[in-house]
């Protein structure tokens, strides 16, 4: 019995030794796993940083392209003012505000004049629509041009047309572009802003009722 007991003790000691060895192996494996997880987390952080930088670069490129597209569209409208705005004005001409600066100074501050100068396009011609007080009066169109017309474009056109009316100019706000947001569409109709889109002109009657 003593012999068997000693043998059993030796077996338990051997089993304990194997258990301890296994525990050490598991602990080492756990350490390697944690190290690998940390390496993966670091790699993920580097990937996210690179993705963020790439996203920023793409955003800057898209912004530059949008500016190029917008400028190209402005040039297109300026080159073809008769085709785009001939339904509103007879013989429309692009205005050089430098020729009108002295007159504007009698009514507007320098900041207000500068704001008007920043309009994408200002045209002058005789309205094709007779008014009650005078037939076919001279009118100015204050045009804001954008690939995607939004509320901010309308607000700028309205504000700058309002400034010109302070200088006793019959000014009508206009927005022009390839697409228009739903909010901008509703605002154009409600505020009487002429909308030029894909060669079509909308809300002329609303604009004439409001601004003439």
């Amino acid at each position: 019995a003593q012999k068997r007991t000693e043998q059993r003790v030796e077996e338990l000691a051997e089993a304990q030794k194997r258990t301890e060895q296994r525990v050490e192996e598991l602990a080492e494996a756990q350490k390697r796993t944690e190290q690998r997880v940390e390496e993966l987390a670091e790699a993920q952080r580097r990937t996210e940083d690179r993705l963020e930088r790439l996203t920023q670069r793409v955003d800057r490129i898209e912004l530059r392209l949008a500016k190029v597209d917008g400028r190209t569209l402005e040039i297109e409208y300026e080159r073809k003012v008769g085709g785009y705005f001939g339904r509103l004005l007879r013989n429309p001409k692009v205005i050089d505000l430098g020729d009108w600066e002295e007159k504007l100074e009698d009514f507007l501050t320098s900041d207000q004049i500068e704001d008007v100068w920043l309009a994408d396009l200002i045209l002058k011609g005789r309205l094709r629509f007779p008014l009650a007080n005078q037939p076919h009066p001279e009118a100015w169109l204050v045009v804001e041009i954008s690939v995607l017309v939004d509320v901010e474009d309308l607000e700028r056109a309205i504000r700058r047309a309002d400034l010109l009316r302070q200088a006793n100019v019959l000014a009508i706000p206009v927005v022009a572009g390839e697409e228009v947001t739903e909010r901008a569409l509703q605002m154009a109709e409600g505020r009487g802003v002429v909308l030029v889109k894909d060669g079509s002109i909308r809300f002329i009657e609303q604009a004439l009722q409001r601004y003439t």
Side-chain angles (χ1 to χ4, degrees):
Q2 179 66 26
K3 187 175 182 180
R4 286 196 301 272
T5 299
E6 291 174 354
Q7 183 178 358
R8 182 56 178 163
V9 169
E10 290 178 359
E11 291 173 353
L12 290 173
E14 185 63 27
Q16 178 66 21
K17 185 177 181 180
R18 289 195 300 269
T19 299
E20 292 174 352
Q21 183 178 357
R22 180 58 177 162
V23 169
E24 291 179 0
E25 291 173 352
L26 289 173
E28 186 63 29
Q30 177 68 15
K31 179 188 277 189
R32 290 195 300 268
T33 300
E34 292 174 352
Q35 183 177 357
R36 181 57 178 160
V37 168
E38 182 60 31
E39 291 172 353
L40 290 173
E42 181 62 28
Q44 178 68 17
R45 284 193 290 270
R46 290 195 299 269
T47 300
E48 290 174 353
D49 289 342
R50 292 178 60 190
L51 181 60
E52 177 64 22
R53 290 194 297 270
L54 180 60
T55 300
Q56 292 175 357
R57 289 181 59 189
V58 171
D59 289 343
R60 288 194 296 269
I61 291 172
E62 289 180 346
L63 180 60
R64 287 197 293 268
L65 289 175
K67 290 181 178 179
V68 170
D69 289 343
R71 183 54 185 155
T72 301
L73 197 60
E74 291 177 19
I75 294 172
E76 176 72 9
Y77 275 99
E78 186 172 347
R79 286 180 58 244
K80 300 179 179 179
V81 292
Y84 286 111
F85 305 103
R87 286 177 54 193
L88 272 170
L89 299 180
R90 290 177 176 175
N91 193 27
K93 300 293 185 183
V94 178
I95 288 292
D96 181 358
L97 284 182
D99 298 334
W100 294 79
E101 189 168 1
E102 289 186 8
K103 177 183 177 180
L104 295 178
E105 286 175 347
D106 294 335
F107 302 93
L108 304 177
T109 66
S110 58
D111 288 341
Q112 290 173 328
I113 294 175
E114 182 179 352
D115 189 21
V116 174
W117 269 91
L118 292 175
D120 292 332
L121 186 64
I122 298 180
L123 307 174
K124 182 180 73 168
R126 294 207 168 271
L127 273 178
R128 287 193 177 276
F129 308 91
L131 303 182
N133 56 348
Q134 55 180 319
H136 309 292
E138 183 178 86
W140 291 27
L141 303 183
V142 182
V143 188
E144 291 298 318
I145 301 168
S146 180
V147 176
L148 177 63
V149 176
D150 58 19
V151 170
E152 286 76 13
D153 296 306
L154 273 83
E155 291 174 342
R156 286 194 296 271
I158 292 171
R159 184 180 69 247
R160 290 163 180 167
D162 286 344
L163 290 174
L164 284 176
R165 281 195 296 278
Q166 292 181 32
N168 296 326
V169 172
L170 175 54
I172 298 174
V174 181
V175 289
E178 296 179 349
E179 299 292 338
V180 57
T181 66
E182 185 62 30
R183 285 184 61 214
L185 183 65
Q186 295 172 359
M187 181 177 174
E189 183 176 15
R191 299 284 297 275
V193 178
V194 175
L195 171 64
V196 181
K197 177 178 174 291
D198 294 334
S200 65
I201 300 182
R202 302 179 62 180
F203 312 132
I204 295 176
E205 291 183 4
Q206 291 89 332
L208 295 177
Q209 290 174 2
R210 189 179 185 96
Y211 297 107
T212 60

